[in-house]
Structures are given as structure tokens and as C-alpha cells.
């Protein structure tokens, strides 16, 4: 400590970078599982794939404590209002990751019961393909989202800085 | 060993006497009841499908329960559309003591799609009848809580009816541009 | 000499059993259960350590004459709409659990009517994952149908495919080769292990044994690795198809399965070491969520839940499919029908399934892995280059599909959650007229009020987890 105090150094960066760095490295997902993809999402967080390596293992039960909603699975017409409510409950800044074919586009179920893509209900920042996406795909999607945040501006989902 | 055989009409010489006796005792006294025997993937077991009139529906199921078919398994509804009567409702019961399965079914027409509820016989018919009401639109008078179960309450129509469309929407390719 | 010893010892045993009939069966678990009356009786005076705390006696209302006590013991058949109002409605509050709740295993929603901390009425609300798969099935050909049904119960995809394939084969009158049947049994039994591992993980997590979450997933990954190697996918395989299976087992599968059996068996031993004598786990599971055999039959509850209540019914024994009767295995049964018995039954089922898998490694017959019926299964890829007929069959099969004669067929298999049945009504042609699924989780969710009524709020989660509902199976 004494050495550090004797020779004070300094680090320069933009405020934007600093804030974005903080946001990416502590992004807490809401534990919001819907269908098959939720099983793979849980598998990603469990021992073998260990999402904790990317600072994201803290799945929050309450949306009010979460930054990221991983829409893992097919969204039915009955679930869509609930999903929107969960999204609205999340505090800014918040991001949405659409996991799997069903959440992204309805997948193979183009019928009366399913919302054909969760982007009709909430704004989606990242789409992860697969049915279901394996843990590697999900991790890649999350890392891409982190990169997106790092490269972006400080803003919330409504575009207000 | 997975000897599947096509459906054959009931033949008393083809099955052991006890099995036929049990099914026969269920439909004994009900006019117009017919029995069909179905093969299963298990070469040793068959199941019987009993068709009864809708008036006998509850009585036959209650009698089957008393005869040993005391385990409720399933209740289904089918829309045969072009055929009359249009709707089929069936209940799938097993007798664990005798290792027997029976499906008791009935047909109801389009303009009177009502089948008396089985919740008084098997409590487990509750959710299954709600599902049949929700998806096919069969009315079960006497059911304590006949509301939609899978679809939202405000839904209009019954999607598994044959005159109801799948509800597919054209796939939109949002990212690309189309030159017309 | 030995004869006299036998005759001498036999009366002694009888004498002992005469003195106390329950003595030989009174295990540690039973004693715990007998004393697990936290809120039914006024036992606060009998706790020797009650005076030692400085919090004073934990007073409880007298509940002995409460009819709820008999329901808690699983005597009365009760449901949300038949339950009588026991107290003034003003003293009750209704809370909503789900559909977004970490312990509802997906998107199940429960209305809980509470009186203090006791749950008086429960109403499960489902449909938040309704995917319309039965309607979609009517638009897909029989060859495509496997892709659809495998996504219903996404923890037991092989069982869905098997029930579907058996039903279609029954309509076709098709017989599959012995090797295909053996592969089907191998994959479904390993799938049962994978599903029960996930159940063990979530059951543990839901009642506070967080380590189980990590351990269960650890072993499940090994099963998934084998599935991926065989089918190409970790989940939703579409591997078991009408006529057989999609591909033969990969090279070296014997070593993989043998290794899997060894690792998972060791893992199960670890779980039991962790949980079997864990006082918190025992208190949270014993006497909780009781359902009686009679209620199981009334509500359509099958599988491990019914067997934990003592219902001796397993379709693998009662109506054996795919020649599963030629393998040696036992059907574990419970006696009390509580959460703890479901735990022991499932643990033993995993062992039995691994035992079956081990026998298949040794006894699997050689031969084709799918029926050589060109109207049902595609020709080998190589034949398409050589034979015009093979090309036509291939083209017809993947554009038009399998032509199935008119008829109705119902076929059920013993899934990890109970009887998983598929009913197909065919009017001829290449698409089913109607496909109905008998989903075991649907019945289990229906029976949740029986297990939860008049239990503590904290036990709701334990009961729910022990029912192991998969919402994709419930809502389809």
C-alpha cells in the first residue's frame, strides 16, 4: 500500500466506457424460464458450463433486481402480457435476449397459440438461434450482447441518456 | 416383440374369457353398446373400446368404475367434422387388478354438443373436461367450474375444431429488403 | 442341527412381532414421520428444549379437531372447488404464485388461499405455455410429427417420440427389428435417468439443498453428452421415428454407456450420502404432500408419484413395450406417499434404469436399426445414387410422408412422470386427423391441491417439486 501511495498513477478513460464496463461485467439475468430453452439456460448456469465465469451467474428471482431478461422458450398468447409485465418491472438499464427459435420467430409452431416472435411484445437486443441453443450458443449470445453494450452509448431502453 | 396388429373386431375366442367377461359385464344391460378390440405394442395386452350412447355415458362409466376400472387415466375429445354425430368424447380407464384398459366413448352431434360431466364419478375428470371444453367446445353440464383452461379466458372459438384454422401467419423476414 | 436352530428361532421372532407388530418396520424414517406433527397437535410441551430458548413457548392454535388434519394425512379426497370453508373468509388472504416464479418449474401459476401460514385452498392455473401442438400435429405429416411431439415433455423427449412412433406403427401394423427396440429401450431408460437427475437437482434446490442443483446437473451433462453423440442434439432429438430409430448407435457406445452407468451410479450414491440423513431434508420431506393410492387413481396420477403411494403399477411390467420385459428390473414402491417416498422411489428408479441399460450393452442383438419398409423408412443414402426406385421412395417419403390407414390407436409408455399416452385418429392419408396426448404432468398438476391443501406455505414448494411437473407436457 505504501508503494502505491508513494507513486500515484492514474487511468484515463471516458465515462461512457467506464459505465459500460461496469454494466457488462455485472449483468444479472432474471430467472425467467418458459420451455425447453429454460432447461438449457439452467444448464448454462450450472456446474458444467459455469456462467459465473462471465459474472452472470446471479439469476435473480425478482425482475426488479435483474438487468437482463433471457426469454428462454416459446411465448404463448396467454403468457405475452405476463412477459411484458415482468419486463416493465425491471429497472433501467435493461436488455432482452431472445433465446431459441420459438422466442425469436415462433419457431416451428406457426399457429394460433404462440406469439410469433417475442419482439412483438418487448424490444429485443440479441437473438440466439437454435432449438434449443446449447450452452455454448447462449454464452456466445451473452458475450455478443456484452460487446454490444461496451460499444454502445449510455442510454436506457427508451433511448434517453 | 413389438407385434402391432391392426384393429380387429371383438372375437370372444381370441381373448381369454376373463377379459371379455369384465368388459361384457360393464356394458351388460346397455342397448346399442358396441365393443371393439384394439391391439397394442405389447403383444400380451389389448384394450377394448366401448361405444355407448350419450344417455348411458355416466351410468356406464360408473359401472365400469365399480367393476374394477377404478383408475382414471384420460379423457379426450375428437371432432370428426364431416361425420355425424360430429364429436366423440372418450374416457380411458384402467383396472390395475386385472391389468385391463377400457376406453368408453360416446358421440354427440354438432347442434347438441353436451356430454354429462364425469366429475361426480372421477374427480380427475375436472381438468380433462375443461380441456375438452376449451379446445373442442364440448359442454359438460354439471361440471363445477367449466372454464377455459389452456387458452386465455377472453379467447373466442375452439381451436381444435376442424373448421378452425391453424392460425398460422405469413412468415415475415424483417431484416431483408424486397424489390418489387 | 440347523433344523433345530430354525425351529427355535422362529417362535422368538413371532413373539417379538406379537409384542409390537410395528416394531420390525419402525425405521428411523418412520419414527421421524410419527413425530412429524408440527402443527396438527399441541406438542409444544413435549419438546424438552422448549424451556431452554429465551423466545418462550411457540404457541400454536389447537388443531386436533380440525378436519384439515385428516386431509393433511391424505384421508379425504378434496379439491379446490369442493373444499368447505372452515373459517371466516375475512381471515384469509389469497396470494398468487407464478407464472414467473423460480420454484414453479416453468410457468405454472397457483392461487393459494392462506390462513396464517397454512394453505387452505389451492387452484392451479395452467395454459401459459400452451403451444397448440395438437393442432400443429394435424398439419404435419407422420414423418414430420416426431419433431413436434419431442418438444412436448422436453425433459423426456425420447419417451414422447417412442409413444408417438409406437402409435403410428400400430396403425401401420408395422413390426420393428429387435435391435431398434433395444436401442429404443436404452435411450428411453437413459432419458429416465436424465429426467430424474434434473428432478433431484430442482427438488434439492427448491427446499434449500443448493448443492444438489450443482451435482444433479453435473451427472445429467454426461447423459446429454451421450445423447448428443448418438442423435446430434442435446434435447429434442427426433431420434426414435416410426419404423425404428434415425441412426444406429455410434462407435464405442458400449464404453460410453458403461462409463455413464459407473459415473451416475457413483453420483446417486453421493446424493444419498448428502440427503439421506440430512435432518433439514428429512424434516422438509417426510409427511409432506401426502397423496393416497385412492386419490392417485381418482385424479389420474401415475408413475413415481403413484408408486410412492404404494400403487403397484408400471407400464413396463403391466403392458411391456419394445420387449422391455426381457430385461431384469424391479419396480420400487413407497408406502407413505409423501415427498420423501417420492425421493426414494425416484432414486431407486434411476438405479433400475441404469441396470437395464447395462443389460442392453451386453445383450443387444445385431441387425437393422429400422424396419426395411420403404413406405415408412427412407432407403440408405447410398442406394439413392444407384436405384431409381430408392430415389422415388426417398422423394415420396419426404414430400408426401407415410400413408397411414384409417383407424384409431392409443399407445402409452411409462414416462419419467407416469403414463405418457398418444391417441391418434387417422382418416387415411399422410397426416393425423387428430392427435391427443395423455400427459402425466397434467394429472399431477390437477392433484396438486390434494397434496397442498392444509399444509404449510413452505411445503407448497416441496410438494410442487416432488410432483415434477413439466409445463410443456401440461400445456402442450
Amino acid at each position: 500500500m505504501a508503494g502505491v501511495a508513494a507513486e500515484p498513477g492514474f487511468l484515463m478513460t471516458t465515462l461512457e466506457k467506464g459505465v459500460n464496463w461496469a454494466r457488462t461485467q455485472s449483468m444479472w439475468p432474471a430467472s425467467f424460464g418458459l420451455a425447453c430453452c429454460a432447461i438449457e439456460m439452467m444448464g448454462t448456469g450450472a456446474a458444467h458450463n459455469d456462467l459465473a465465469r462471465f459474472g452472470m451467474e446471479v439469476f435473480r428471482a425478482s425482475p426488479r433486481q435483474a438487468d437482463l431478461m433471457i426469454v428462454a422458450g416459446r411465448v404463448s398468447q396467454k403468457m405475452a402480457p405476463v412477459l411484458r409485465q415482468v419486463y416493465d418491472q425491471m429497472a433501467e438499464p435493461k436488455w432482452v435476449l431472445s433465446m431459441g427459435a420459438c422466442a425469436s420467430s415462433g419457431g416451428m409452431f406457426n399457429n394460433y397459440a404462440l406469439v410469433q416472435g417475442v419482439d412483438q411484445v418487448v424490444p429485443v437486443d440479441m437473438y440466439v438461434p437454435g432449438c434449443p441453443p446449447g450452452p455454448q450458443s447462449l454464452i456466445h449470445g451473452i458475450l455478443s450482447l456484452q460487446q454490444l453494450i461496451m460499444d454502445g452509448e449510455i442510454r436506457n431502453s427508451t433511448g434517453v441518456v | 416383440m413389438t407385434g402391432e396388429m391392426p384393429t380387429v373386431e371383438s372375437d370372444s375366442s381370441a381373448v381369454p374369457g376373463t377379459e371379455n367377461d369384465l368388459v361384457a359385464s360393464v356394458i351388460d344391460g346397455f342397448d346399442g353398446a358396441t365393443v371393439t378390440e384394439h391391439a397394442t405394442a405389447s403383444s400380451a395386452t389389448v384394450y377394448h373400446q366401448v361405444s355407448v350412447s350419450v344417455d348411458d355415458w355416466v351410468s356406464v362409466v360408473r359401472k365400469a368404475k365399480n367393476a374394477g376400472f377404478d383408475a382414471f387415466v384420460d379423457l379426450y375429445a375428437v371432432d370428426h367434422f364431416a361425420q355425424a354425430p360430429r364429436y366423440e368424447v372418450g374416457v380411458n380407464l384402467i383396472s390395475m387388478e386385472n391389468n385391463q384398459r377400457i376406453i368408453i366413448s360416446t358421440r354427440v352431434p354438432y347442434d347438441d354438443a353436451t356430454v354429462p360431466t364425469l366429475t361426480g364419478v372421477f374427480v380427475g375428470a375436472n381438468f380433462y373436461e375443461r380441456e375438452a371444453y376449451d379446445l373442442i367446445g364440448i359442454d359438460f353440464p354439471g361440471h363445477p367450474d367449466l372454464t377455459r383452461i389452456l387458452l386465455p379466458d377472453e379467447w373466442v372459438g375452439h381451436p381444435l375444431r376442424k373448421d378452425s384454422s391453424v392460425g398460422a401467419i405469413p412468415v415475415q423476414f424483417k431484416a431483408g429488403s424486397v424489390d418489387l | 442341527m440347523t433344523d433345530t436352530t430354525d425351529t427355535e428361532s422362529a417362535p422368538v421372532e413371532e413373539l417379538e412381532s406379537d409384542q409390537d407388530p410395528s416394531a420390525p418396520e419402525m425405521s428411523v424414517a418412520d419414527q421421524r414421520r410419527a413425530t412429524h406433527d408440527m402443527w396438527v397437535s399441541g406438542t409444544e410441551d413435549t419438546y424438552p428444549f422448549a424451556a431452554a430458548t429465551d423466545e418462550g413457548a411457540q404457541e400454536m392454535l389447537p388443531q386436533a379437531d380440525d378436519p384439515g388434519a385428516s386431509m393433511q394425512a391424505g384421508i379425504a379426497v378434496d379439491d379446490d372447488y369442493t373444499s368447505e370453508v372452515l373459517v371466516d373468509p375475512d381471515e384469509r388472504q389469497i396470494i398468487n404464485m407464478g407464472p414467473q416464479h423460480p420454484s414453479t418449474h416453468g410457468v405454472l401459476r397457483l392461487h393459494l388461499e392462506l390462513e396464517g401460514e397454512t394453505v387452505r385452498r389451492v387452484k392451479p392455473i395452467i395454459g401459459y405455455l400452451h403451444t397448440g401442438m395438437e393442432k400443429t400435429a394435424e398439419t404435419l405429416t407422420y414423418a414430420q410429427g416426431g419433431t413436434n411431439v419431442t418438444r412436448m415433455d422436453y425433459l423426456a423427449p425420447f419417451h414422447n417420440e417412442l409413444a408417438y412412433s409406437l402409435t403410428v406403427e400400430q396403425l401401420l401394423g408395422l413390426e420393428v427389428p429387435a435391435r431398434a427396440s433395444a436401442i429404443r429401450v436404452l435411450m428411453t431408460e437413459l432419458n429416465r435417468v436424465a429426467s430424474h437427475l434434473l428432478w433431484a437437482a430442482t427438488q434439492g434446490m427448491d427446499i434449500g439443498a443448493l448443492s444438489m442443483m450443482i451435482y444433479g446437473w453435473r451427472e445429467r451433462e454426461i447423459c446429454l453428452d451421450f445423447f448428443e453423440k448418438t442423435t446430434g442434439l442435446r434435447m429434442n432429438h427426433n431420434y426414435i421415428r416410426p419404423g425404428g430409430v434415425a441412426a444406429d448407435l455410434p462407435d464405442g457406445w458400449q464404453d460410453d454407456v458403461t462409463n455413464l452407468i459407473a459415473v451416475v451410479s457413483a453420483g446417486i450414491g453421493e446424493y444419498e450420502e448428502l440427503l439421506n440423513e440430512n435432518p433439514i431434508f428429512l424434516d422438509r420431506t417426510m409427511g409432506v404432500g401426502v397423496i393416497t393410492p385412492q386419490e392417485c387413481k381418482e385424479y389420474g396420477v401415475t408413475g413415481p408419484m403413484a408408486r410412492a403411494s404404494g400403487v403397484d403399477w408400471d407400464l413396463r411390467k403391466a403392458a411391456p413395450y419394445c420387449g422391455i420385459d426381457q430385461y431384469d428390473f424391479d419396480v420400487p414402491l413407497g408406502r407413505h406417499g409423501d415427498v420423501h417416498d417420492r425421493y426414494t422411489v425416484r432414486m431407486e428408479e434411476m438405479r433400475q434404469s441404469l441396470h437395464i441399460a447395462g443389460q442392453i450393452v451386453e445383450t443387444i442383438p445385431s441387425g437393422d436399426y429400422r424396419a426395411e419398409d420403404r413406405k415408412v423408412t427412407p432407403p440408405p443414402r447410398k442406394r439413392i445414387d444407384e436405384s431409381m426406385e430408392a430415389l422415388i421412395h426417398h422423394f415420396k417419403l419426404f414430400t408426401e410422408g407415410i400413408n397411414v390407414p384409417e383407424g384409431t390407436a392409443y399407445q402409452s409408455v411409462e414416462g419419467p412422470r407416469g403414463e405418457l399416452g398418444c391417441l391418434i385418429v387417422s382418416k387415411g392419408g399422410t397426416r393425423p386427423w387428430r392427435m391427443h396426448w395423455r400427459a402425466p404432468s397434467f394429472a399431477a398438476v390437477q392433484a396438486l391441491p390434494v397434496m397442498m391443501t392444509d399444509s404449510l406455505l413452505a411445503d407448497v414448494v416441496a410438494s410442487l417439486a416432488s410432483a415434477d411437473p413439466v409445463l410443456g407436457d401440461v400445456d402442450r
Side-chain angles (χ1 to χ4, degrees):
Chain A
M1 283 304 286
V4 174
E7 298 175 39
F10 59 91
L11 188 69
M12 270 177 62
T13 183
T14 58
L15 176 67
E16 197 164 51
K17 263 194 180 159
V19 170
N20 280 339
W21 173 81
R23 284 177 173 181
T24 54
Q25 298 307 313
S26 64
M27 197 158 32
W28 289 1
S31 61
F32 184 64
L34 294 170
C36 333
C37 292
I39 305 296
E40 288 292 57
M41 183 176 76
M42 287 158 73
T44 313
H48 195 81
N49 296 293
D50 198 10
L51 200 53
R53 291 177 292 167
F54 309 103
M56 302 192 53
E57 80 283 10
V58 196
F59 279 89
R60 289 282 106 182
S62 166
R64 294 184 197 283
Q65 300 166 345
D67 309 308
L68 171 66
M69 180 160 77
I70 301 178
V71 184
R74 39 198 192 242
V75 183
S76 70
Q77 306 278 4
K78 194 169 179 175
M79 192 66 194
V82 183
L83 186 132
R84 178 71 208 192
Q85 192 172 359
V86 170
Y87 176 78
D88 289 341
Q89 283 172 349
M90 287 166 62
E92 296 279 359
K94 55 191 172 185
W95 295 274
V96 177
L97 189 145
S98 164
M99 181 182 180
C102 294
S104 302
S105 70
M108 60 174 288
F109 303 109
N110 192 352
N111 63 20
Y112 66 93
L114 280 201
V115 175
Q116 299 298 308
V118 72
D119 46 12
Q120 299 184 6
V121 186
V122 292
V124 177
D125 297 290
M126 187 63 67
Y127 299 88
V128 178
C131 189
Q136 293 86 353
S137 300
L138 180 61
I139 290 173
H140 179 250
I142 287 171
L143 292 181
S144 304
L145 180 62
Q146 288 184 342
Q147 193 60 46
L148 197 77
I149 298 166
M150 273 304 279
D151 296 344
E153 299 168 18
I154 312 174
R155 53 167 61 211
N156 63 18
S157 61
T158 54
V160 181
V161 176
Chain B
M1 50 215 65
T2 53
E4 294 85 6
M5 290 171 64
T7 303
V8 290
E9 285 299 314
S10 178
D11 181 7
S12 58
S13 64
V15 288
T18 50
E19 299 184 351
N20 257 353
D21 284 351
L22 196 60
V23 177
S25 72
V26 170
I27 59 165
D28 183 38
F30 293 103
D31 291 339
T34 58
V35 182
T36 323
E37 189 187 299
H38 290 262
T40 67
S42 165
S43 53
T45 45
V46 294
Y47 72 89
H48 294 88
Q49 178 153 12
V50 176
S51 302
V52 299
S53 76
V54 68
D55 299 330
D56 298 335
W57 169 248
V58 177
S59 325
V60 173
V61 175
R62 183 169 280 125
K63 196 171 173 189
K65 187 183 184 185
N66 295 333
F69 293 101
D70 59 345
F72 177 87
V73 176
D74 191 15
L75 188 142
Y76 67 90
V78 180
D79 178 8
H80 288 283
F81 194 57
Q83 290 178 10
R86 181 170 162 176
Y87 300 110
E88 176 186 340
V89 178
V91 62
N92 186 333
L93 310 173
I94 45 182
S95 166
M96 291 177 181
E97 287 74 22
N98 303 300
N99 192 4
Q100 282 244 41
R101 183 187 296 277
I102 191 172
I103 292 182
I104 303 169
S105 63
T106 186
R107 297 284 285 263
V108 288
Y110 172 70
D111 46 10
D112 185 25
T114 54
V115 178
T117 179
L118 286 184
T119 46
V121 186
F122 288 103
V123 191
N126 172 13
F127 270 29
Y128 289 88
E129 288 184 350
R130 284 178 66 192
E131 186 192 341
Y133 163 75
D134 191 1
L135 299 180
I136 301 274
I138 312 282
D139 190 16
F140 293 93
H143 190 286
D145 182 27
L146 195 65
T147 50
R148 290 197 180 270
I149 184 167
L150 294 179
L151 290 166
D153 287 337
E154 64 275 10
W155 195 272
V156 178
H158 303 282
L160 255 67
R161 283 187 173 180
K162 278 289 173 182
D163 49 6
S164 172
S165 77
V166 180
I169 59 166
V171 176
Q172 302 167 11
F173 295 98
K174 294 163 194 165
S177 62
V178 181
D179 296 325
L180 290 174
Chain C
M1 190 63 196
T2 49
D3 286 345
T4 49
T5 331
D6 282 350
T7 45
E8 276 171 13
S9 62
V12 175
E13 281 177 7
E14 276 182 18
L15 195 66
E16 281 177 353
S17 58
D18 281 343
Q19 284 170 342
D20 186 359
S22 63
E25 291 185 37
M26 198 72 169
S27 61
V28 180
D30 286 343
Q31 288 167 7
R32 233 169 222 288
R33 247 185 217 98
T35 54
H36 185 87
D37 48 5
M38 284 174 59
W39 63 281
V40 178
S41 63
T43 49
E44 52 269 24
D45 294 334
T46 62
Y47 282 115
F49 48 82
T53 67
D54 55 4
E55 295 175 353
Q58 303 294 303
E59 289 194 353
M60 284 186 280
L61 293 170
Q63 299 266 12
D65 56 341
D66 189 340
S70 66
M71 284 183 233
Q72 165 75 3
I75 297 158
V77 176
D78 193 41
D79 199 359
D80 54 308
Y81 60 85
T82 55
S83 181
E84 292 169 29
V85 178
L86 299 175
V87 293
D88 186 5
D90 293 344
E91 293 176 26
R92 300 189 170 199
Q93 59 173 329
I94 292 177
I95 64 164
N96 181 50
M97 181 175 173
Q100 191 261 332
H101 188 281
S103 295
T104 52
H105 289 227
V107 287
L108 177 66
R109 180 177 169 200
L110 295 173
H111 266 176
L112 305 169
E113 191 171 312
L114 300 181
E115 187 185 315
E117 227 179 304
T118 308
V119 179
R120 287 306 184 194
R121 292 205 301 171
V122 181
K123 185 175 171 113
I125 300 170
I126 61 175
Y128 290 97
L129 197 56
H130 180 55
T131 317
M133 286 181 177
E134 290 177 358
K135 186 77 176 176
T136 296
E138 294 169 11
T139 68
L140 300 175
T141 67
Y142 286 100
Q144 295 169 325
T147 326
N148 183 29
V149 298
T150 189
R151 284 163 173 79
M152 287 183 179
D153 182 349
Y154 39 80
L155 294 186
F158 284 123
H159 290 89
N160 287 296
E161 296 162 19
L162 181 61
Y164 169 74
S165 300
L166 288 174
T167 314
V168 176
E169 284 158 14
Q170 198 178 316
L171 285 165
L172 288 166
L174 184 74
E175 192 149 341
V176 299
R179 185 179 176 84
S181 289
I183 296 174
R184 287 175 169 189
V185 173
L186 173 72
M187 298 314 274
T188 47
E189 291 307 313
L190 291 181
N191 197 175
R192 188 186 314 280
V193 173
S195 173
H196 282 357
L197 283 171
L198 193 138
W199 162 81
T202 49
Q203 170 88 64
M205 182 180 69
D206 283 352
I207 60 177
L210 277 170
S211 319
M212 274 308 298
M213 182 70 193
I214 303 295
Y215 294 151
W217 281 98
R218 188 184 62 188
E219 262 76 56
R220 185 173 180 269
E221 284 291 333
I222 294 163
C223 298
L224 292 191
D225 284 348
F226 179 66
F227 294 162
E228 189 172 15
K229 187 174 179 183
T230 308
T231 71
L233 281 168
R234 289 159 56 87
M235 298 168 71
N236 304 348
H237 316 279
N238 191 19
Y239 176 67
I240 298 172
R241 296 178 187 178
V245 294
D248 209 342
L249 293 168
D251 291 342
W253 67 273
Q254 290 99 334
D255 296 339
D256 291 336
V257 175
T258 312
N259 176 51
L260 187 156
I261 292 169
V263 173
V264 177
S265 299
I268 296 169
E270 277 184 32
Y271 312 154
E272 293 187 333
E273 211 171 299
L274 182 73
L275 296 176
N276 273 7
E277 293 176 24
N278 183 331
I280 300 172
F281 181 77
L282 296 181
D283 275 346
R284 296 256 358 229
T285 56
M286 284 185 170
V288 173
V290 176
I291 187 164
T292 64
Q294 178 61 30
E295 287 163 341
C296 286
K297 291 180 179 179
E298 285 275 340
Y299 281 87
V301 175
T302 49
M305 276 183 72
R307 287 194 285 277
S309 300
V311 180
D312 188 4
W313 181 258
D314 189 321
L315 286 169
R316 292 176 294 172
K317 292 282 190 193
Y321 50 87
C322 292
I324 200 170
D325 46 340
Q326 59 188 302
Y327 306 109
D328 167 55
F329 66 99
D330 293 329
V331 177
L333 289 180
R335 284 190 295 135
H336 307 90
D338 57 3
V339 177
H340 189 266
D341 273 13
R342 281 169 220 144
Y343 158 74
T344 50
V345 163
R346 285 196 175 102
M347 285 289 173
E348 186 57 30
E349 274 189 11
M350 278 196 267
R351 287 213 171 87
Q352 296 298 332
S353 292
L354 292 172
H355 182 46
I356 294 173
Q359 293 172 61
I360 293 173
V361 171
E362 287 165 10
T363 67
I364 188 163
S366 56
D368 285 329
Y369 60 88
R370 60 187 178 192
E372 290 301 316
D373 185 338
R374 291 290 160 259
K375 304 290 180 197
V376 180
T377 54
R381 189 69 189 80
K382 208 177 165 203
R383 287 284 299 154
I384 298 172
D385 298 339
E386 301 164 352
S387 159
M388 189 63 182
E389 203 179 338
L391 183 65
I392 293 169
H393 277 309
H394 187 275
F395 180 74
K396 290 280 275 182
L397 190 61
F398 285 105
T399 52
E400 194 180 284
I402 307 166
N403 261 299
V404 171
E406 191 171 339
T408 305
Y410 176 81
Q411 177 63 46
S412 51
V413 300
E414 183 71 28
R417 286 156 202 86
E419 176 171 340
L420 181 66
C422 176
L423 178 107
I424 293 181
V425 177
S426 167
K427 305 254 177 189
T430 58
R431 290 175 170 81
W433 177 264
R434 168 92 166 95
M435 183 195 279
H436 171 80
W437 280 80
R438 192 276 163 192
S441 301
F442 192 71
V445 166
Q446 179 175 227
L448 285 179
V450 183
M451 291 186 276
M452 293 175 179
T453 301
D454 298 303
S455 70
L456 292 176
L457 179 59
D459 292 341
V460 164
V461 173
S463 301
L464 176 60
S466 74
D468 194 18
V470 172
L471 270 292
D473 197 25
V474 175
D475 296 340
R476 299 182 298 283

